[in-house]
């Protein structure tokens, strides 16, 4: 269950981060390739092409990364061993 919850968290955070990176990549594309701004074409290109693509890639990558990290118990230290030993006494 922990793996699934971490994967969902990674999915959400990855989608947000990927969308932000997609917007940045789209704005860079417009500047580098001098995309026309006739009737808002450049804005539609960024928000209907680059942002969703970045969100999808980020969501998949975030879910996979968080899922793999949650599957490895030794990578995520929620409590240190000394705290666990003190509670048992």
């Amino acid at each position: 269950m922990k793996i699934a919850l971490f994967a969902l968290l990674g999915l959400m955070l990855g989608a947000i981060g990927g969308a932000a990176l997609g917007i940045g990549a789209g704005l860079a594309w417009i500047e580098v390739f001098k995309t026309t701004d006739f009737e808002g074409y450049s804005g539609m290109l960024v928000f209907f092409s680059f942002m969703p693509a970045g969100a999808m890639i980020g969501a998949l990558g975030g879910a996979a990364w968080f899922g793999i990290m949650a599957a490895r118990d030794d990578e995520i230290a929620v409590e240190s061993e000394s705290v666990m030993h003190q509670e048992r006494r």
Side-chain angles (χ1 to χ4, degrees), residues 9-21 51-52 54-63:
L9 177 67
L11 185 82
M12 290 187 302
L13 293 177
I16 293 168
L21 290 175
M51 186 178 70
M56 286 187 275
I57 293 169
L60 291 175

Side-chain angles (χ1 to χ4, degrees), residues 27-40:
L27 292 174
W29 178 278
I30 288 171
E31 291 297 319
V32 169
F33 294 106
K34 304 295 183 208
T35 304
T36 181
D37 197 25
F38 181 70
E39 293 184 351

Side-chain angles (χ1 to χ4, degrees), residues 6-88:
F6 271 103
L8 285 174
L9 177 67
L11 185 82
M12 290 187 302
L13 293 177
I16 293 168
L21 290 175
I23 290 172
L27 292 174
W29 178 278
I30 288 171
E31 291 297 319
V32 169
F33 294 106
K34 304 295 183 208
T35 304
T36 181
D37 197 25
F38 181 70
E39 293 184 351
Y41 176 73
S42 60
M44 287 189 287
L45 176 68
V46 170
F47 287 100
F48 292 131
S49 296
F50 283 92
M51 186 178 70
M56 286 187 275
I57 293 169
L60 291 175
W65 185 41
F66 274 52
I68 290 171
M69 292 301 289
R72 297 179 183 177
D73 286 332
D74 58 344
E75 293 291 327
I76 300 173
V78 178
E79 291 185 29
S80 65
E81 291 183 24
S82 62
V83 172
M84 291 174 57
H85 290 305
Q86 291 174 357
E87 290 177 359
R88 290 183 187 165

